[in-house]
Amino acid sequence: MAVNDTEGTPLSLRERKKQRTLEELADCAARLFEEQGFEATTLEEVVAAAEVSKRTFFRYYGSKEAVALAPEGLLWGRYVAEVADRPLRGAVLDTLRTALLDTVEAMPPGWEERFYACRRLAAHSPTPALRDHTVVASFHAHAELTAILERRLGISSEADVRLRMLGEFALSAWRCGAKEWVMGREPGQIGRPAMDATPDPRDAATAVRVRGGRERLLRRVDEAFAAIPASLALSAD
């Protein structure tokens, strides 16, 4: 049975229908984008494949870019909710770190394959629209994290830059770790060994297996967090 992620309670029939529509739109869009390319696929084709109206589409996604990057949007939404619900104890960055790792670990089955596919789509798109959308989504997540820390700690981020820096550290660790995973690199390696070894990089399931699945994605992100202190202490002398 589907449950509410934040409360652990069963979803209502209406909520389950909304969830199915959300997922169906994302799945239909991903299939069309893979077959035809992001730029060549129209919004009309996406809604026709999902058998919904444009009006329904815009109740779930704000743009074609948003549905193309739905796995990433789902991650940010759940991560922000996890940070909002999690008690703050000790070092705040440690809380942001464990919250992100726990969020990734709890994502639905197959999420890592959909995430890999959307990152590949953005990387190979001839226009910057998808990459720009990723940057904007990251800005929004950062703003939400900062607002949560302000409320929880009773500190203004305008008066104390540390709150904004904490969000930047967390998001940077995700970007660095996820990029290493997508590229198939091990720590210290240069180039794209795993991607070159994938018979067909468009086959997300195979590509993810080559990269070690979600377990290795979590490892890469955790390693990026662990590298923050040494990065700050790095000296040219």
Side-chain angles (χ1 to χ4, degrees):
M1 178 180 292
V3 298
N4 184 302
D5 292 318
T6 58
E7 299 175 6
T9 56
L11 294 174
S12 67
L13 177 61
R14 179 181 177 85
E15 289 170 328
R16 291 199 301 273
K17 286 182 177 180
K18 288 174 65 176
Q19 185 65 32
R20 283 196 297 270
T21 302
L22 187 80
E23 293 171 355
E24 181 67 16
L25 279 166
D27 289 344
C28 288
R31 185 170 60 252
L32 288 169
F33 295 153
E34 182 59 46
E35 293 172 355
Q36 304 176 174
F38 175 76
E39 289 75 16
T41 301
T42 66
L43 189 55
E44 287 77 9
E45 289 174 313
V46 172
V47 297
E51 298 182 339
V52 300
S53 67
K54 273 191 178 181
R55 182 177 179 182
T56 297
F57 174 89
F58 284 114
R59 283 206 293 265
Y60 293 91
Y61 297 102
S63 64
K64 195 171 76 165
E65 289 78 13
V67 74
L69 298 172
E72 195 169 72
L74 180 63
L75 172 66
W76 292 138
R78 293 192 178 189
Y79 178 42
V80 168
E82 179 66 28
V83 172
D85 290 341
R86 182 166 294 217
L88 287 179
R89 298 190 183 94
V92 176
L93 186 59
D94 287 345
T95 298
L96 297 180
R97 177 182 186 170
T98 56
L100 181 53
L101 295 173
D102 289 349
T103 299
V104 174
E105 189 169 15
M107 294 299 277
W111 171 85
E112 60 271 32
E113 295 175 10
R114 294 188 289 274
F115 172 71
Y116 169 82
C118 83
R119 294 313 309 151
R120 183 181 181 280
L121 182 69
H124 291 273
S125 175
T127 63
L130 288 172
R131 293 185 290 276
D132 290 347
H133 186 87
T134 294
V135 172
V136 171
S138 178
F139 285 159
H140 286 316
H142 178 266
E144 291 184 86
L145 288 173
T146 301
I148 291 169
L149 295 180
E150 283 185 318
R151 292 194 301 270
R152 302 286 295 282
L153 298 173
I155 302 172
S156 167
S157 64
E158 294 182 0
D160 193 332
V161 72
R162 290 179 299 171
L163 271 66
R164 283 174 280 150
M165 292 302 298
L166 285 167
E168 292 287 359
F169 287 142
L171 296 178
S172 292
W174 164 257
R175 285 192 292 267
C176 291
K179 182 176 181 178
E180 294 301 291
W181 179 77
V182 169
M183 296 293 287
R185 285 194 294 250
E186 293 294 326
Q189 286 185 326
I190 300 174
R192 306 161 72 171
M195 185 171 287
D196 290 340
T198 303
D200 183 358
R202 293 173 298 177
D203 178 1
T206 300
V208 166
R209 282 197 300 273
V210 169
R211 285 154 178 76
R214 193 179 307 197
E215 181 180 351
R216 191 165 295 178
L217 171 60
L218 287 164
R219 195 183 311 158
R220 294 289 89 84
V221 175
D222 199 31
E223 288 165 353
F225 270 102
I228 290 174
S231 300
L232 296 175
L234 184 64
S235 171
D237 298 330

